[in-house]
Amino acid sequence: MRMPLRLLCLSLLLVGLALPPAQADTLIWRGPTKPLTLGLSQDDIAHVEFPEPITNVTLENPDYVDALVVEGYNNRAFRMRSLLPKMATRMFLTGASGNTYIVILTTDVPYRSYVQIANGLEVDDLARKASSGFTPMDLIRAMALDADVPGITRETYVVPNWFRGSNMSFDLAEVWQNPKLTGLVVHVRNEADVPQEVNLPAITIPKTSEWGQLRHASMENLRLNPAGAPNDKGVLFLIFAR
């Protein structure tokens, strides 16, 4: 591989280094406009692996960093150290796929001895595909179990008294989403001094065009005890489809 900058050999000592440890820190690359920050040290060597072969490298300040392409990794791995006790510079790398990786190399963040860079765009795409076959019932089950699902984003979205009805309060707590479905976790409280039943068909639910149409509503216990008594609260799950 031909590099357009001077990639300095670290030292003869580097040749005798053992392979990096099995455990690695992971940095997620989210695209060419999202630089990665990597901490280097003047005293120790960092081993950095990219998710694909690197075909071109440009180092902004070659006098700041000592870098070596590591044999046996198909041009995916580098070993680097800082040449100064305090410095910051940028490294621009082009992958075989055409992806551009911008890495900020600096002594101002903690040094990491072994770093693997993962392509977050590919991970996100696989997660979206994995969740595309997710049914509304699958989403209700995941929300009820409070179980994370690949491809489903979860956002805490606390809106007290999101809506009210028949002496009941409905508090929005969480929003779960994939490209096709939106699931809402709603906490329901009985504010009356008598038992009440949550009448799902009669509830008027706030909605936005982003969510689509309400398709399913589920609640484990529709009958709530009087306010202040045990079981005067419940959890309602709402599923919208786009």
Side-chain angles (χ1 to χ4, degrees):
M1 176 176 65
R2 180 180 180 275
M3 299 292 181
L5 84 150
R6 174 169 63 103
L7 283 179
L8 302 175
C9 291
L10 295 174
S11 70
L12 291 178
L13 179 61
L14 179 63
V15 178
L17 284 178
L19 290 175
Q23 296 298 319
D25 292 316
T26 301
L27 294 179
I28 305 297
W29 178 77
R30 296 291 183 186
T33 62
K34 307 288 186 181
L36 301 165
T37 300
L38 182 64
L40 297 184
S41 168
Q42 192 177 19
D43 302 318
D44 296 294
I45 295 165
H47 177 101
V48 185
E49 293 181 21
F50 287 83
E52 62 176 316
I54 301 299
T55 60
N56 190 279
V57 179
T58 300
L59 189 58
E60 193 172 45
N61 294 290
D63 294 332
Y64 288 8
V65 175
D66 208 354
L68 173 72
V69 180
V70 184
E71 293 184 4
Y73 287 83
N74 192 27
N75 292 332
R76 293 175 46 249
F78 296 80
R79 288 181 184 158
M80 312 175 192
R81 69 177 175 89
S82 172
L83 293 174
L84 300 172
K86 186 173 181 61
M87 68 85 194
T89 189
R90 291 179 298 176
M91 193 175 195
F92 302 86
L93 305 100
T94 303
S97 67
N99 288 335
T100 298
Y101 304 89
I102 301 175
V103 183
I104 299 172
L105 305 172
T106 180
T107 54
D108 292 335
V109 300
Y111 155 76
R112 307 183 188 195
S113 63
Y114 184 18
V115 178
Q116 289 180 326
I117 296 172
N119 187 333
L121 301 182
E122 290 182 355
V123 173
D124 292 345
D125 185 55
L126 289 174
R128 283 191 295 270
K129 291 178 181 177
S131 68
S132 62
F134 221 56
T135 68
M137 292 300 102
D138 291 331
L139 184 53
I140 286 177
R141 190 177 301 109
M143 290 191 298
L145 294 173
D146 194 26
D148 290 333
V149 178
I152 302 289
T153 62
R154 296 178 58 175
E155 182 180 2
T156 301
Y157 207 91
V158 179
V159 182
N161 294 315
W162 183 46
F163 66 96
R164 303 179 62 82
S166 185
N167 291 316
M168 290 190 184
S169 175
F170 296 80
D171 303 333
L172 180 60
E174 269 194 295
V175 178
W176 297 50
Q177 284 188 312
N178 75 359
K180 294 183 179 180
L181 301 173
T182 294
L184 306 182
V185 179
V186 182
H187 292 196
V188 186
R189 300 192 312 273
N190 184 7
E191 297 180 341
D193 56 5
V194 296
Q196 289 205 106
E197 190 166 298
V198 181
N199 186 355
L200 296 180
I203 293 173
T204 301
I205 299 168
K207 58 185 178 180
T208 73
S209 57
E210 174 191 355
W211 297 343
Q213 297 295 316
L214 178 62
R215 298 300 186 191
H216 296 274
S218 176
M219 191 168 176
E220 183 178 354
N221 183 15
L222 295 175
R223 186 172 177 81
L224 301 179
N225 287 337
N231 300 318
D232 64 340
K233 302 178 181 65
V235 180
L236 173 65
F237 303 108
L238 303 174
I239 305 296
F240 295 80
R242 288 180 284 282

